[in-house]
Amino acid sequence: SWYGRLDSGQPWFLFWITNTLDMLAMGEDVLDIKEKKNIIDYLKACQHPEGGFSGSPFMDAHAASTYAAICTIVALQCPEAYVIVDRPKMLQYLLRLKHNKDTKIFAPQLCSKARTTIPGSFQIHENGENDLRAVYCCLAVADILNLIDEPKLREGIGDFISSCQTYEGGIACVPYSEAHAGYSYCGFASLMLLNETEKINIDKLLEWSMNRQLAKEAGFCGRINKLVDSCYNFWQGALSELIDIALKGKGNYKGEWLYNQYAVQGYTLLCCQSKKGGLIDKPKKSTDMYHTCYSLAGLSIAQSKSMYQELYADHKYELKNAEANSAMFAKDYSSRVSRVHPLSLIHISEPTRRYAISYAVFCLK
């Protein structure tokens, strides 16, 4: 089956499901204690003895699986989940994935090898490829676990991300590649976590991103001259909100995002819902957890207006403000979903640790 191909990344199933349930539950806790315990026990089995989380028990640790596992722990919102994380070993794992100027590597003989050892980048797993997915996953984990201030972990990342911005304005996975919505989100979200958004041309990034909404289909695509895909309603929509925050509330027009929010809702609700449940990439495609989760997250942002004042100016956030804000753009109450933070899919229900830059609802000591 399609999910069989993802067998080596099982924490992602938990991430997509828990966050989807959270968005649909509108603030209610739908998982009982037994279900949460089963998830915690499984994630505990996935934690690698040398740090990080594996895609399934007894496999090597992987940055993406680590990100999915940590975000799932956040979504569970229970102390029993928080205590399973070994923070000291996690820091050592993240540092092993990091390329710094003093990183010892073999002298590259090929251009492809040179591109995979750029200072400021992260490997997606030890001896693996490196791109902005790894950068974002590692920084997000570091921020949640209050490890992000480690100097060697931060070194050179902003410059690496800057080198990935293309002439189009978007951000590519590595330097000299093609701009892509997912990598643009990962790159800019990483700069937000580092507080280094001045490293790139934000105006060009915003122009490139907003021009990816298709006139006829109404949803977003991920690259120039590509087809619509419902997951990009989150990648591009969340990027729009992150830019608004970076510009201190000046990345919107009278509180509205710089794309057609009603059109995105229409594409999601009319074209991407399956009669069997779940959401799809585009008509005639099959449902899957990935598109269900990210489609709903994109719908959440499309139903909302700028929250710069609530999230940043006052350094506080309350759920009731988010729900009232969502109602401003939702077509009707039955189509509303919970508000998600643009830096992740974690549903904001409590004050955050570092204002709104950290989407974690806890701080492990």
Side-chain angles (χ1 to χ4, degrees):
S1 70
W2 184 86
Y3 292 112
R5 294 177 290 173
L6 300 177
D7 198 44
S8 60
Q10 294 178 20
W12 281 105
F13 298 153
L14 300 175
F15 171 81
W16 294 327
I17 291 171
T18 54
N19 281 282
T20 296
L21 290 173
D22 200 19
M23 286 184 280
L24 294 174
M26 297 294 290
E28 297 181 9
D29 196 349
V30 297
L31 293 174
D32 60 34
I33 295 177
K34 182 179 179 181
E35 289 169 328
K36 289 186 177 183
K37 184 180 183 303
N38 288 338
I39 293 173
I40 293 168
D41 289 343
Y42 185 75
L43 290 178
K44 190 184 298 184
C46 289
Q47 187 166 209
H48 196 276
E50 297 181 5
F53 286 80
S54 307
S56 62
F58 311 113
M59 295 184 67
D60 290 339
H62 194 285
S65 296
T66 299
Y67 167 80
I70 293 297
C71 286
T72 300
I73 288 171
V74 174
L76 293 178
Q77 297 189 34
C78 60
E80 294 82 0
Y82 306 157
V83 297
I84 73 171
V85 182
D86 189 327
R87 291 180 65 252
K89 287 187 177 180
M90 179 68 77
L91 177 59
Q92 294 306 311
Y93 171 67
L94 296 176
L95 289 172
R96 289 199 301 273
L97 298 182
K98 179 73 188 305
H99 286 303
N100 288 324
K101 291 182 179 179
D102 58 351
T103 302
K104 294 181 179 180
I105 57 172
F106 294 107
Q109 303 298 319
L110 300 173
C111 179
S112 60
K113 289 185 179 180
R115 289 174 63 185
T116 58
T117 55
I118 302 173
S121 63
F122 283 85
Q123 301 173 85
I124 198 71
H125 59 84
E126 293 187 68
N127 299 315
E129 73 275 20
N130 71 325
D131 54 44
L132 285 180
R133 294 173 305 160
V135 172
Y136 170 69
C137 288
C138 290
L139 282 183
V141 168
D143 192 49
I144 290 173
L145 300 181
N146 201 17
L147 302 170
I148 199 167
D149 292 327
E150 168 63 38
K152 283 190 172 295
L153 201 64
R154 301 171 62 93
E155 181 183 330
I157 297 176
D159 292 333
F160 170 68
I161 296 173
S162 175
S163 71
C164 295
Q165 187 171 28
T166 73
Y167 71 94
E168 305 162 284
I171 302 175
C173 59
V174 291
Y176 313 115
S177 191
E178 182 183 11
H180 185 282
Y183 294 118
S184 294
Y185 170 86
C186 288
F188 197 75
S190 296
L191 291 175
M192 290 283 290
L193 292 169
L194 294 169
N195 196 25
E196 296 182 7
T197 55
E198 75 284 352
K199 294 278 187 178
I200 66 168
N201 189 322
I202 297 179
D203 290 341
K204 288 189 67 176
L205 175 61
L206 181 61
E207 180 184 17
W208 175 85
S209 177
M210 295 303 93
N211 277 302
R212 301 285 70 76
Q213 186 174 24
L214 303 178
K216 292 184 178 180
E217 294 88 340
F220 281 99
C221 66
R223 292 178 286 165
I224 290 177
N225 294 325
K226 291 296 182 179
L227 298 176
V228 66
D229 185 331
S230 61
C231 71
Y232 293 119
N233 296 342
F234 171 74
W235 301 120
Q236 302 283 27
L239 181 58
S240 176
E241 185 168 359
L242 289 179
I243 290 174
D244 179 59
I245 294 170
L247 295 177
K248 298 183 178 179
K250 296 180 180 179
N252 64 80
Y253 180 73
K254 295 182 179 179
E256 301 178 18
W257 308 130
L258 303 183
Y259 64 89
N260 190 327
Q261 293 174 243
Y262 285 127
V264 167
Q265 291 183 65
Y267 175 71
T268 304
L269 297 172
L270 299 177
C271 301
C272 296
Q273 291 195 88
S274 170
K275 294 180 179 179
K276 298 179 180 180
L279 288 100
I280 59 178
D281 163 357
K282 59 179 67 67
K284 297 185 178 181
K285 294 285 187 175
S286 300
T287 58
D288 61 78
M289 298 179 198
Y290 171 90
H291 284 96
T292 297
C293 182
Y294 287 106
S295 295
L296 285 174
L299 180 65
S300 168
I301 293 173
Q303 290 177 348
S304 306
K305 302 184 75 172
S306 174
M307 298 195 309
Y308 174 77
Q309 293 299 323
E310 291 92 335
L311 283 174
Y312 280 78
D314 297 329
H315 297 162
K316 63 182 180 179
Y317 183 82
E318 294 183 5
L319 180 61
K320 62 182 181 181
N321 294 336
E323 300 305 343
N325 197 8
S326 287
M328 294 179 182
F329 269 97
K331 285 290 186 181
D332 59 74
Y333 185 84
S334 64
S335 69
R336 285 174 57 193
V337 293
S338 293
R339 189 72 168 91
V340 293
H341 196 287
L343 274 174
S344 79
L345 297 184
I346 302 302
H347 176 211
I348 312 173
S349 57
E350 300 178 28
T352 55
R353 175 175 64 79
R354 185 179 297 177
Y355 307 138
I357 277 224
S358 173
Y359 41 81
V361 294
F362 68 98
C363 176
L364 292 175
K365 299 296 183 181

